């Protein structure tokens, strides 16, 4: 058996190679679709043919369609011995069914031969110009995540106005509304703004559009690739721009505190519930990561792909219940398995070692909770929060004893034990100690502001208020601000 993959080009038989044309004339042909000028011309010449157009309506999605196409081609191979599978374009790279058809044909023991033609890319390069490094994608498969405005884009098979409208909406997520689009169909070529893509007079299976790279200052929305480029520019790594003196001076060490500050600001934005503020502050956090990635790249240590590879590998490894055959029915099951995998991954010999490896710069309440959590996962824990609360009076008595002794070092240790015991209660109640204390600090600030304003109305400072006045105003503040 022999399978020939033949490219029909993008218009008539003039875009085919002589070898492809002869193979189509001499053998049984399966057209991916007969809605193509070259297919129409070949059919008129009386070739032996069939089409897979009827499969489009009978399948639920493109994966199912490709499976059905592969099955149909293999059946025809067994029947005819030699089959030409004819697809639009130049080499079949834009046709998702081709790799699967080849794979199934190889399983069946068939000889494989490929006959390219003049495809979408070549036509766009000749008529559109500036297509070096272009990304080529069929309209049906286009997704926003595929689009990189740093490079030219070629979209094939704009069949009708509905498809043109869908493509327009996808592109307008990345491109300016007035971006100049070149549309090519056969030997015809015309240019128009992107927002008019679904207002053209003509669409066809052979129609393609090309979009140029977009200037970095012309975009209304920016994707991750643009962020990487901007940081590279600021660091003086782009010949088209001068770098920023401040950005070029930064090192991992000089900006490490900024990462912590931005993280806290992001948490505050999340607490605000304001989506715009969250996006802004999370962007500031992402900036810090990309800056470190750029510095790492310049110093030959690592780059952004090393960062994304590390986290992706970690997520796959630590989710065997998703990517392997492990079981985890509840969130608690997942967390316990996660900690065990971390021990193995970090080559930590014991739970105590995993506790020691927690960053010393981590906020104390957060670090205490993590230490307790790791002990709990190892089986050392109170039964519940009420049981843990019984420890608090004991710790308070020890603090009192330390105060009586007047030993500062002993007092610091006992106060730490008291805080540690309080964190244990908070953890068992599934509350974040850090966030809880921050909320109480904010509440205190609001009440103190109320007290300060009340004192001003009495023409006094806070310090000049009597205890009775302060206490009464504070109780008033608690009632007035109880919803806050």
């Amino acid at each position: 058996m022999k399978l020939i993959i033949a490219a029909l080009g993008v218009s008539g038989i003039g875009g085919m190679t002589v070898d492809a044309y002869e193979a189509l004339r001499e053998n049984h042909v399966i057209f991916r679709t007969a809605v193509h000028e070259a297919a129409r011309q070949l059919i008129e010449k009386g070739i032996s043919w069939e089409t897979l157009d009827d499969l489009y309506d009978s399948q639920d999605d493109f994966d199912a369609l490709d499976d059905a196409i592969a099955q149909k081609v293999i059946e025809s191979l067994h029947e005819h011995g030699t089959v030409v599978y004819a697809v639009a374009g130049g080499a079949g790279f834009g046709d998702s069914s081709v790799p699967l058809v080849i794979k199934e044909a190889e399983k069946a023991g068939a000889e494989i031969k490929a006959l390219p033609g003049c495809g979408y890319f070549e036509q766009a390069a000749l008529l559109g110009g500036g297509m070096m490094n272009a990304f080529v994608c069929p309209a049906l498969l286009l997704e926003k995540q595929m689009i990189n405005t740093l490079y030219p884009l070629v979209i094939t098979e704009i069949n009708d106005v509905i498809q043109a409208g869908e493509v327009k909406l996808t592109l307008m997520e990345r491109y300016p509304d007035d971006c100049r689009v070149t549309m090519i169909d056969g030997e015809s070529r015309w240019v128009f703004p992107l927002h008019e893509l679904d207002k053209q007079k003509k669409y066809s299976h052979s129609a393609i559009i090309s979009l140029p790279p977009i200037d970095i200052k012309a975009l209304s929305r920016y994707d991750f690739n643009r962020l990487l480029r901007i940081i590279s520019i600021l660091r003086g790594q782009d010949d088209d721009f001068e770098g920023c003196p401040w950005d070029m001076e930064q090192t991992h060490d000089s900006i490490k505190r900024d990462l912590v500050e931005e993280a806290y600001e992001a948490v505050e934005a999340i607490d605000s519930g304001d989506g715009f503020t969250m996006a802004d502050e999370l962007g500031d956090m992402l900036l810090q990561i990309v800056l470190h990635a750029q510095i790492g790249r310049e110093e030959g240590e690592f780059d952004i792909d090393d960062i994304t590879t590390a986290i992706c590998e970690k997520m796959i490894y630590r989710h065997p219940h998703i990517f392997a055959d492990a079981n985890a029915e509840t969130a608690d099951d997942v967390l316990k398995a996660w900690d065990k995998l971390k021990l193995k991954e970090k080559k930590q010999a014991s739970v105590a070692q995993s506790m020691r490896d927690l960053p010393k710069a981590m906020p104390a309440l957060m670090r205490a909770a993590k230490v307790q959590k790791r002990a709990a996962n190892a089986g050392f824990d109170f039964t519940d929060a009420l049981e843990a609360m019984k420890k608090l009076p004991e710790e308070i008595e020890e603090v009192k004893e330390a105060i009586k002794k007047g030993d500062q070092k002993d007092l610091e240790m006992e106060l730490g034990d008291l805080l540690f015991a309080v964190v244990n209660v908070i953890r068992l109640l599934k509350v974040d100690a850090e966030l809880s204390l921050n909320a109480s600090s904010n509440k205190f600030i609001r009440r103190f502001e109320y007290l300060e304003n009340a004192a001003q109305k009495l023409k006094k400072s806070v310090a000049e208020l009597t205890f009775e006045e302060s206490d009464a105003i504070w109780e008033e503040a608690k009632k007035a601000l109880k919803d806050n």
Side-chain angles (χ1 to χ4, degrees), residues 30-44:
I30 300 178
F31 290 114
R32 164 75 189 248
T33 175
V35 185
H36 191 288
E37 182 60 21
R40 184 188 64 78
Q41 293 174 359
L42 287 162
I43 291 169
E44 287 177 353

Side-chain angles (χ1 to χ4, degrees), residues 407-420:
D407 186 325
Q408 186 66 22
K409 215 168 186 183
D410 188 39
L411 180 60
E412 287 176 5
M413 183 63 70
E414 295 302 341
L415 286 169
D417 288 346
L418 176 58
L419 283 173
F420 194 84

Side-chain angles (χ1 to χ4, degrees), residues 38 92 109 195 213 220 266 287 393 436 439 460 476 484:
H195 64 83
S220 56
L287 167 63
S436 180
K460 292 182 179 183
E476 185 182 313
N484 297 318

Side-chain angles (χ1 to χ4, degrees), residues 153-197:
L153 174 66
V154 175
I155 303 172
T156 67
E157 301 173 38
I158 311 290
N159 289 330
D160 52 43
V161 66
I162 295 174
Q163 197 166 72
E166 292 172 350
V167 168
K168 181 184 83 168
L169 292 175
T170 302
L171 293 176
M172 286 172 66
E173 288 284 322
R174 290 281 186 265
Y175 291 85
D177 294 358
D178 60 353
C179 173
R180 305 304 287 173
V181 176
T182 301
M183 192 163 193
I184 304 164
D185 193 357
E187 297 179 358
S188 301
R189 173 185 181 274
W190 62 104
V191 181
F192 51 86
L194 175 58
H195 64 83
E196 294 181 1
L197 179 56

Side-chain angles (χ1 to χ4, degrees), residues 235 250-253 291-307:
R235 290 282 299 175
Q250 301 315 303
T251 65
H252 292 306
D253 192 62
L291 262 173
H292 281 288
Q294 180 62 38
I295 294 169
R297 181 178 184 179
E298 293 165 20
E299 296 179 354
E301 299 172 324
F302 63 91
D303 61 17
I304 195 67
D305 288 341
D306 292 311
I307 293 173

Side-chain angles (χ1 to χ4, degrees), residues 251-305:
T251 65
H252 292 306
D253 192 62
S254 71
I255 60 173
K256 65 183 180 184
R257 290 193 178 276
D258 295 337
L259 182 59
V260 176
E261 290 176 11
E262 298 298 353
Y264 279 117
E265 290 181 12
V267 170
E268 189 170 341
I270 292 169
D271 288 340
S272 76
D274 185 303
F276 179 81
T277 304
M278 286 169 60
D280 186 51
E281 295 299 343
L282 290 170
D284 288 344
M285 269 193 71
L286 182 58
L287 167 63
Q288 298 302 314
I289 295 168
V290 173
L291 262 173
H292 281 288
Q294 180 62 38
I295 294 169
R297 181 178 184 179
E298 293 165 20
E299 296 179 354
E301 299 172 324
F302 63 91
D303 61 17
I304 195 67
D305 288 341

